[in-house]
Amino acid sequence: MNFTRWSARLPGTQRRAAARTEQAVSTAPRGDGSVPAARAERPAGAGEPLPPGGAVGLTGPDGVDELPVREVLDRIPALVALVHGTDHRIAYVNDAYAAAFGPRPIGEPARVALPELTELGLLSLLDQVLRSSKPRTVKSRKAATGRSYTFTCTPVTLPLGGSAAGPEEGGGVLVFAADVTDHAEAAERLRTSERAQRETAVTLQKSLLPQELEQPDDLRIAATYQPGGTEAAVGGDWYDVITLGGGRTALVIGDVMGRGVRAAAVMGQLRTAVRAYARLDLPPHEVLQLLDGLATEIDPSQIATCVYAVHDPNEGSLVYASAGHLPILVRDEHGTIHRAEEPTGPPLGTGGWLHTSGSVPLGPGSTAVLYTDGLVERRSEDIDEGVASLERALAGATGTPQVVCDRLIRALGVTADHDDDVAVLVLQHPARAGGDAELFRNAALELLGGVEAAPRARAFATGVLASWRFSPELHDLGVLAASELVANSLQHGTPPMRLRLRRTDRRLIIEVTDGDDHLPRRRRAEPADEAGRGIAIVATIASNWGSRRTPGGGKAVWCEFALPK
């Protein structure tokens, strides 16, 4: 095949040689006999052989026309091959192609003679280019040699030979491959680095979350955390369950705005601070107030949303405060969904705001859900629509807390490639009946009158603990603790006063409330002191003890005894 016959038809080239030749012939000086001058050919003595087929390049302003097309293709470092016909027979491969994949026999079909195209999945691409007469490009295909190439396949029209009637035109494909190995390796190194950073952030995130949730006596709790897909950086979602003592439980969920290791680190600091503040047994809005100031100190550029809630089985409610977070959803024992919308303050880290507490009922048989925005926020819809979808999903989600978590995740369409982190915390206050209900009992006594209140409290505690069939040792310790707490309240507190006894399947809880808000503290009593020993005695005999201020004013002092398993 004469390469120069189709070389001028390659995309982006002109038949400049023919045009320049005609111009040279028409403008050349004629001899005396009006005989046309010789054709404008480059002298063979110039030291360069004529190219195959007699193709001649003419000198242009930039010297490009001095090179025939085949000589250009032979010299460029990119890989070039030309195939023609429906079976893509080889018409030409340049030196770079032969150096990369070895010599290729001219005239053989590509399926046999160009196995590298088969390995790279390009034979079907050649068919598409030939049928559509449109160029196609595939990026960064890695060959068996270990090098990566970007292939561009361009349709060309080439004469395949002819007869007296004229040449027969045929279809061909020019394969142009640029070596992009360095770019591909750099991109892979970048992807590897990003994967390593993401794995570091995910590991940090998960290590900062509770490895095992605390399970209070009166609640059943489960949580799920799912990081965003591989294209999304890890965020700062977190949750926690904190046992406050006296049967009360704090539940927390939050979301640090931002992505990556920094967001996860800020999340870890906030979660640690929440646990520390929870030990003070403060109302939810006071905990958020402290967190707000701390968030500003940690990183003024980071803000976070958070809900802090406290469950008290004696009150049958969930008292909460929200810092810009999404509303808690509660499904009651009848299946009705309640949305705890108010009050909601600005996110943590904004400062200058006084948070307030709200309340939502959480009686036996109820289920509550705390969650982050990754569960309900979608780019294509308003977030209120996502919350409404969650309400519908919660209305039909039954089973254990972990089952409810999984069903909500599936119902909201959260998959492994989700574009945001998702944290879900589900708590259930089970309705107990039968023998199980016998393990959860309550008894209370209003402490009226003066000095006679102490013997009445001892008699009440003696009778209640005897009816609950505790061991003699635990019975006597419980009566002693109740007597000391009541005596302390009578001496240092103000009316109204109440003694409350409560048992669960794990512990006995004794609590005394009064109208004075000065919290007692444990101190060492001197031999001559007439007071100061009551709290020390309680702290010595009980498994745990504590005190807190009550929302309506006053305080509660409690202690608890672990029951034998």
Side-chain angles (χ1 to χ4, degrees):
M1 177 179 294
N2 188 345
F3 189 91
T4 58
R5 295 180 61 189
W6 56 263
S7 62
R9 294 176 179 263
L10 294 177
T13 62
Q14 305 287 336
R15 290 199 170 192
R16 292 188 293 266
R20 295 289 181 86
T21 302
E22 293 176 359
Q23 182 182 6
V25 171
S26 62
T27 59
R30 295 177 178 273
D32 293 337
S34 298
V35 178
R39 296 174 61 188
E41 294 183 352
R42 185 172 52 185
E48 297 183 6
L50 290 174
V56 179
L58 300 180
T59 302
D62 53 4
V64 174
D65 289 337
E66 292 292 337
L67 296 174
V69 174
R70 178 162 184 169
E71 187 175 353
V72 173
L73 297 180
D74 281 340
R75 292 183 181 183
I76 63 175
L79 282 60
V80 179
L82 181 76
V83 297
H84 68 90
T86 56
D87 53 356
H88 310 299
R89 294 183 178 276
I90 302 175
Y92 166 77
V93 293
N94 71 345
D95 294 340
Y97 195 104
F101 296 112
R104 295 294 182 255
I106 302 301
E108 293 293 326
R111 188 175 300 277
V112 176
L114 299 176
E116 61 275 0
L117 297 186
T118 303
E119 296 170 1
L120 295 170
L122 294 179
L123 284 182
S124 59
L125 189 68
L126 296 180
D127 293 334
Q128 295 177 22
V129 171
L130 201 59
R131 288 194 304 266
S132 65
S133 299
K134 295 181 179 180
R136 296 286 189 272
T137 298
V138 293
K139 295 182 179 180
S140 193
R141 292 286 178 90
K142 191 171 185 178
T145 60
R147 309 293 293 179
S148 296
Y149 301 91
T150 289
F151 288 85
T152 298
C153 300
T154 304
V156 294
T157 302
L158 40 144
L160 301 179
S163 60
E168 179 185 352
E169 295 293 328
V173 179
L174 180 70
V175 181
F176 183 93
D179 192 328
V180 294
T181 304
D182 292 341
H183 296 284
E185 291 177 351
E188 181 58 31
R189 287 194 297 269
L190 179 60
R191 286 191 294 269
T192 301
S193 175
E194 290 175 346
R195 284 195 298 267
Q197 291 182 10
R198 185 177 185 279
E199 290 172 1
T200 300
V202 170
T203 302
L204 175 61
Q205 172 88 337
K206 290 186 175 181
S207 66
L208 293 175
L209 292 174
Q211 303 303 303
E212 184 176 352
L213 287 179
E214 299 181 24
Q215 293 294 334
D217 298 354
D218 296 273
L219 297 176
R220 298 294 176 262
I221 302 177
T224 295
Y225 169 74
Q226 180 170 313
T230 55
E231 299 300 323
V234 174
D237 294 15
W238 94 91
Y239 56 83
D240 209 348
V241 178
I242 308 166
T243 300
L244 300 178
R248 302 165 72 249
T249 306
L251 306 118
V252 193
I253 196 162
D255 185 1
V256 177
M257 304 304 173
R259 300 289 180 137
V261 175
R262 180 58 184 165
V266 172
M267 175 274 289
Q269 296 178 75
L270 290 178
R271 175 177 175 256
T272 302
V274 170
R275 295 193 70 88
Y277 295 147
R279 299 304 175 189
L280 301 176
D281 212 342
L282 299 171
H285 64 275
E286 293 189 22
V287 172
L288 290 191
Q289 208 70 49
L290 294 172
L291 277 180
D292 186 24
L294 180 65
T296 304
E297 295 177 7
I298 292 175
D299 190 342
S301 64
Q302 291 273 15
I303 62 174
T305 64
C306 179
V307 166
Y308 181 87
V310 175
H311 175 254
D312 189 338
N314 296 317
E315 304 297 333
S317 63
L318 201 61
V319 180
Y320 68 93
S322 175
H325 204 79
L326 293 166
I328 301 172
L329 300 182
V330 178
R331 185 186 66 207
D332 63 21
E333 64 274 20
H334 306 296
T336 304
I337 303 297
H338 303 273
R339 183 187 297 194
E341 293 184 339
E342 297 294 342
T344 299
L348 302 176
T350 56
W353 182 268
L354 292 177
H355 293 273
T356 56
S357 295
S359 177
V360 61
L362 189 73
S366 299
T367 299
V369 178
L370 290 75
Y371 52 96
T372 57
D373 59 0
L375 181 65
V376 296
E377 189 173 31
R378 302 292 182 271
R379 296 179 181 178
S380 59
E381 63 183 24
D382 187 81
I383 194 169
D384 287 336
E385 297 179 11
V387 175
S389 298
L390 179 59
E391 289 181 346
R392 292 190 293 271
L394 177 59
T398 58
T400 66
Q402 189 59 60
V403 170
V404 174
C405 277
D406 297 340
R407 288 181 175 178
L408 295 180
I409 290 287
R410 290 195 302 269
L412 273 295
V414 177
T415 59
D417 57 352
H418 195 58
D419 61 357
D420 195 5
D421 291 20
V422 175
V424 182
L425 182 66
V426 174
L427 56 138
Q428 293 179 344
H429 187 183
R432 296 180 174 88
D436 191 26
E438 292 296 321
L439 299 177
F440 292 81
R441 307 289 291 274
N442 285 276
L445 173 67
E446 298 293 336
L447 298 175
L448 303 175
V451 292
E452 69 275 8
R456 289 183 60 246
R458 283 194 295 271
F460 175 77
T462 300
V464 170
L465 297 182
S467 69
W468 290 350
R469 299 181 181 180
F470 288 134
S471 65
E473 180 183 1
L474 182 58
H475 175 278
D476 293 343
L477 290 176
V479 172
L480 176 59
S483 178
E484 291 297 335
L485 291 180
V486 169
N488 185 78
S489 180
L490 290 172
Q491 183 174 1
H492 302 287
T494 60
M497 301 179 185
R498 173 185 287 186
L499 169 63
R500 176 180 288 158
L501 304 178
R502 187 167 185 272
R503 71 156 295 169
T504 69
D505 58 343
R506 304 178 195 174
R507 69 198 82 232
L508 166 65
I509 302 168
I510 302 172
E511 181 180 82
V512 176
T513 60
D514 64 57
D516 185 81
D517 61 358
H518 291 85
L519 301 181
R521 58 187 179 87
R522 185 179 180 181
R523 63 185 179 88
R524 183 185 298 276
E526 298 298 332
D529 291 343
E530 296 183 358
R533 295 180 176 82
I535 294 298
I537 293 173
V538 171
T540 301
I541 65 175
S543 305
N544 193 15
W545 81 280
S547 62
R548 70 180 187 279
R549 291 186 175 89
T550 54
K555 66 176 180 293
V557 185
W558 55 268
C559 69
E560 58 186 30
F561 297 85
L563 301 183
K565 295 184 179 180

